[in-house]
Amino acid sequence: MPDLAALGPWLRRFLCEHIVTERNLARNTRTSYRDTFSLLLPFVSRKLRKPVDRLVVSDLTSGHVLQFLTHLEADRGCSARTRNQRLATIRAFARFVGSRDPAHVEWCGHIRAIASKRSMPPPVGWLTRAEMESMLAAPDRKTRRGRSEYALLLFLYNTGARVSEATQLRVRDLQIGSRNGGHNLVILHGKGARTRQCPLWPETERVLVDEITRRAGEDAVFISRLGTPFTRFGIYRLIERCAARVPELAGRTITPHVIRHTTACHLVLAGVDINTIRAWLGHVSISTTNIYAEIDLTLKANAVALCEVGQPRSARSWKEDKDLMTFLKAL
């Protein structure tokens, strides 16, 4: 079997060289790409009754890819957005192969011609100020464990950090206890190895100082009850437990990303401009941040009031404004 026909070498180059070295994609993106092919290859292997290590590039026909996408939705219960995400990965692989081997250009065209399914973005879930305060009041701050949980919740609300940014936070990333009028800051390591600084409230500084006492710069800021750094799953479970103690949140799914949305929405309500919010959340494009400008009914009601039909107008004609006419003629 010619090397250029075998699927394995192409896939290895794509996952180990192209998306890591050439494109420098984020770790979570690389994991998503890997998971797509971990699902796709066994599916095609079963269809063809052919071992995975003997698959060739042409075995990934557009028909098999379409069947795989249907399998994701029908059998695995994936949403249309997840289906489109998996398809985007397969298209990227096809583009990679087609751009390097002319013999696979036609195959690449068939794969890239598969259309994405239209999907509506999910509504942005967020908490009101009262609901967020109830969440913060859920941990028992009389105990050491409760104070640590409160510190984590308050940090997420203050910074709007992603859950991955919270789990990766180290003591050295905190600039607190500043002197000479300096600001208390945290350095967050976001997607694509990008970093940003976020100011901390005095209350956030106070609880974080209590958390990191007697820790080295390389130590994690947020430690679980087992004495190990918090994981993504641990933070999800913590927020789930706290939300269960708030009666107003019964029946709602509260995640770390809901708290991130809450931070953004509260900044919008406070009158912070959208570009500042973009920098605060670490969005690359302001179009991502624009969703927060559309969610608050109060802002929409104020906008409608500005253009309400039937409001009384001044009966005075512009021609009667002698000072205005004099001004215009003098120009």
Side-chain angles (χ1 to χ4, degrees):
M1 180 187 300
D3 288 340
L4 290 179
L7 178 62
W10 280 113
L11 197 55
R12 181 180 296 275
R13 286 180 58 191
F14 176 71
L15 294 176
C16 298
E17 299 176 15
H18 178 62
I19 68 174
V20 176
T21 305
E22 297 177 17
R23 297 198 58 196
N24 192 29
L25 298 183
R27 180 179 298 274
N28 287 342
T29 304
R30 302 200 302 258
T31 301
S32 175
Y33 277 34
R34 178 206 65 192
D35 292 345
T36 296
F37 289 102
S38 296
L39 295 171
L40 174 63
L41 298 190
F43 178 85
V44 175
S45 174
R46 290 192 299 269
K47 289 291 182 181
L48 297 176
R49 298 185 179 183
K50 187 176 184 181
V52 170
D53 57 355
R54 294 187 61 82
L55 291 175
V56 296
V57 173
S58 58
D59 287 334
L60 298 183
T61 64
S62 57
H64 286 145
V65 172
L66 285 170
Q67 291 174 359
F68 170 69
L69 298 175
T70 301
H71 162 71
L72 291 178
E73 293 186 278
D75 300 330
R76 295 182 61 87
C78 296
S79 66
R81 296 184 68 198
T82 301
R83 179 248 192 214
N84 292 340
Q85 183 183 36
R86 301 301 188 198
L87 175 58
T89 299
I90 300 171
R91 282 174 175 168
F93 174 66
R95 182 169 58 248
F96 169 78
V97 175
S99 65
R100 286 160 175 78
D101 183 11
H104 288 110
V105 169
E106 182 180 1
W107 167 84
C108 171
H110 290 308
I111 297 298
R112 298 188 64 190
I114 300 174
S116 298
K117 179 174 287 189
R118 182 178 179 182
S119 63
M120 296 298 294
V124 176
W126 59 289
L127 306 177
T128 65
R129 181 68 177 271
E131 290 169 343
M132 190 66 228
E133 289 177 350
S134 297
M135 281 280 293
L136 293 172
D140 182 7
R141 277 181 268 171
K142 296 179 182 178
T143 66
R144 176 65 186 171
R145 181 74 252 138
R147 290 192 293 272
S148 295
E149 293 176 349
Y150 170 73
L152 177 52
L153 287 175
L154 185 64
F155 174 81
L156 292 174
Y157 177 44
N158 181 165
T159 61
R162 300 177 179 92
V163 64
S164 58
E165 294 168 346
T167 58
Q168 296 171 11
L169 190 68
R170 296 294 180 262
V171 173
R172 66 172 183 272
D173 297 322
L174 297 174
Q175 299 178 10
I176 56 181
S178 303
R179 302 292 192 273
N180 301 322
H183 296 287
N184 298 307
L185 301 170
V186 60
I187 300 174
L188 296 174
H189 302 274
K191 290 183 176 180
R194 293 184 295 271
T195 61
R196 69 183 187 280
Q197 292 183 331
C198 187
L200 297 175
W201 300 327
E203 171 68 2
T204 308
E205 178 204 359
R206 184 187 67 78
V207 297
L208 289 179
V209 167
D210 185 50
E211 280 296 299
I212 65 175
T213 301
R214 295 186 297 275
R215 290 193 200 163
E218 295 298 319
D219 292 341
V221 173
F222 301 111
I223 302 296
S224 70
R225 61 183 177 83
L226 301 176
T228 57
F230 258 104
T231 63
R232 295 172 59 92
F233 178 76
I235 295 180
Y236 271 85
R237 288 289 298 148
L238 165 63
I239 292 177
E240 188 179 77
R241 290 199 310 271
C242 292
R245 300 173 192 168
V246 181
E248 296 83 358
L249 300 180
R252 293 173 59 182
T253 301
I254 308 300
T255 66
H257 220 71
V258 170
I259 297 182
R260 177 172 164 85
H261 289 327
T262 299
T263 301
C265 295
H266 290 183
L267 288 172
V268 170
L269 292 176
V272 179
D273 71 273
I274 202 71
N275 197 49
T276 300
I277 298 175
R278 180 200 61 79
W280 193 298
L281 297 180
H283 289 158
V284 175
S285 171
I286 199 169
S287 62
T288 307
T289 318
N290 279 336
I291 61 171
Y292 300 112
E294 303 175 358
I295 60 172
D296 185 62
L297 292 178
T298 302
L299 296 180
K300 292 180 180 178
N302 292 339
V304 169
L306 292 176
C307 56
E308 183 178 354
V309 177
Q311 289 184 340
R313 298 182 179 180
S314 172
R316 182 180 178 186
S317 170
W318 64 272
K319 294 182 179 180
E320 298 176 8
D321 192 341
K322 304 301 182 183
D323 294 334
L324 175 60
M325 296 304 297
T326 303
F327 165 73
L328 292 175
K329 291 178 179 179
L331 291 178

